[in-house]
């Protein structure tokens, strides 16, 4: 499995973890406010918190992944050739990390699928509201749709890489 | 009438004659990842014109010696 596939898997796992944490927090906690505006504000604060957590988690995990990947390459080189040259390892990483035209095409295709899913979620949320659904769930449907869209984007990327 | 276009390549053959050049070496020359070279060689990905020229230049041959374009015309449809 190549560097980009492994990186995509870590992104998917992080996305699933953050979305699961959000669902547990959001649906598990009791709503303190009584009127709709206050509940919506509380939900918005929770969402903003989790967006921040998601971004930080993604950055930290990507850095950790890069470090661990570099170490694994160095260890593999040490076992294979008997010596571990820093410049060679750097060169190997550079060649793996390089983003070429195929990566860009795969990114575009997967982004399109992710956005289509998120769009369907957004429309579903509007339909929910039109059908006299609670606006509190509207926010949750949109947030979860975008989260799932991002996860789906990762899976699509994996599919195109493995094809 | 429906036309079916296929692009095949002779990268493996040219790598063999280029002193068994590795996919990694070709990737370095073309400025792409090894996975892209693997995908092109297997016919799973058709490269851009620019990349096709870079690959041809790596073997010092013309582009049509590496990539072969075939168009099958199906008159039944």
């Amino acid at each position: 499995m190549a560097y980009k596939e492994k990186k995509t898997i870590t992104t998917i796992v992080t996305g699933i973890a953050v979305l699961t944490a959000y669902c547990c927090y959001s649906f598990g906690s009791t709503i303190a406010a009584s009127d709709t505006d206050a509940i919506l504000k509380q939900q918005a604060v929770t969402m903003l918190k989790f967006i921040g957590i998601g971004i930080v988690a993604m950055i930290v995990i990507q850095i950790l992944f890069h470090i661990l990947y570099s170490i694994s390459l160095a260890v593999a080189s040490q076992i294979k050739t008997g010596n571990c040259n820093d410049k060679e390892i750097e060169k190997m990483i550079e060649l793996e990390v390089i983003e070429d035209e195929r990566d860009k095409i795969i990114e575009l295709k997967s982004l399109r699928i992710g956005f289509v899913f998120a769009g369907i979620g957004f429309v579903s949320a509007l339909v929910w509201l039109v059908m006299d659904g609670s606006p509190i769930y509207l926010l949750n449907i949109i947030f979860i749709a975008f989260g799932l869209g991002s996860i789906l984007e990762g899976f699509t990327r994996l599919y195109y890489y493995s094809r | 009438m429906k036309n079916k276009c296929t692009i095949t390549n002779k990268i493996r053959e040219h790598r063999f004659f280029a002193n068994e050049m590795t996919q990694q070496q070709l990737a370095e020359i073309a400025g792409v990842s090894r996975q892209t070279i693997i995908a092109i060689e297997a016919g799973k990905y058709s490269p851009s014109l620019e990349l096709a020229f870079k690959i041809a230049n790596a073997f010092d041959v013309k582009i049509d010696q590496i990539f072969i374009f075939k168009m099958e015309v199906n008159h039944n449809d």
Side-chain angles (χ1 to χ4, degrees):
Chain A
M1 197 181 278
Y3 169 83
K4 278 153 201 163
E5 287 170 83
K6 287 175 188 166
K7 193 180 164 190
T8 308
I9 290 170
T10 56
T11 310
I12 292 170
V13 171
T14 314
I16 291 171
V18 172
L19 196 64
T20 310
Y22 170 78
C23 289
C24 291
Y25 181 85
S26 184
F27 299 119
S29 62
T30 50
I31 298 162
S34 54
D35 64 309
T36 311
D37 284 351
I39 294 168
L40 282 174
K41 194 180 173 185
Q42 194 184 329
Q43 283 284 326
V45 170
T46 308
M47 282 174 190
L48 282 173
K49 272 183 196 168
F50 273 88
I51 288 169
I53 290 167
I55 291 167
V56 171
M58 206 63 93
I59 292 167
V60 169
I61 286 170
Q62 290 299 322
I63 291 168
L64 284 175
F65 167 74
H66 198 81
I67 292 167
L68 288 173
Y69 189 77
S70 308
I71 293 168
S72 70
L73 274 182
V75 170
S77 172
Q78 177 78 32
I79 292 165
K80 203 176 173 182
T81 59
N83 66 329
C84 180
N85 190 339
D86 285 353
K87 280 186 181 173
E88 267 183 36
I89 302 293
E90 273 176 34
K91 198 182 168 189
M92 278 164 75
I93 294 166
E94 261 178 45
L95 287 169
E96 289 274 339
V97 172
I98 194 169
E99 196 182 66
D100 55 37
E101 55 176 52
R102 182 168 166 259
D103 296 318
K104 281 171 191 160
I105 289 171
I106 288 174
E107 192 183 344
L108 283 174
K109 282 178 180 175
S110 53
L111 266 175
R112 189 175 61 187
I113 289 172
F115 273 115
V116 165
F117 188 87
I120 291 168
F122 182 73
V123 173
S124 306
L126 292 179
V127 171
W128 167 265
L129 197 64
V130 170
M131 290 170 77
D132 296 326
S134 166
I136 298 152
Y137 288 107
L138 169 104
L139 273 182
N140 277 312
I141 292 169
I142 292 171
F143 189 80
I144 291 167
F146 272 88
L148 288 176
S150 159
I151 293 163
L152 186 68
E153 181 199 320
F155 279 113
T156 313
R157 203 173 287 208
L158 269 185
Y159 167 75
Y160 281 119
Y161 274 125
S162 63
R163 213 168 61 147
Chain B
M1 194 170 75
K2 203 175 182 181
N3 296 344
K4 194 188 173 192
C5 304
T6 49
I7 299 170
T8 55
N9 68 77
K10 290 182 177 174
I11 294 177
R12 180 69 194 95
E13 194 183 312
H14 279 83
R15 281 202 301 114
F16 176 77
F17 288 117
N19 206 12
E20 197 62 82
M21 181 193 277
T22 63
Q23 289 172 329
Q24 186 71 62
Q25 285 168 331
L26 180 58
E28 280 176 49
I29 296 166
V32 293
S33 65
R34 194 171 71 89
Q35 278 65 41
T36 301
I37 296 295
I38 293 168
I40 294 168
E41 206 174 285
K44 290 176 182 173
Y45 172 68
S46 297
S48 67
L49 201 53
E50 190 186 336
L51 180 54
F53 271 113
K54 279 181 184 173
I55 292 168
N57 277 350
F59 297 115
D60 207 17
V61 292
K62 284 185 177 176
I63 198 165
D64 60 354
Q65 286 177 272
I66 301 272
F67 296 97
I68 299 112
F69 177 75
K70 280 179 190 168
M71 189 154 70
E72 291 166 19
V73 182
N74 193 348
H75 294 282
N76 296 331
D77 290 324

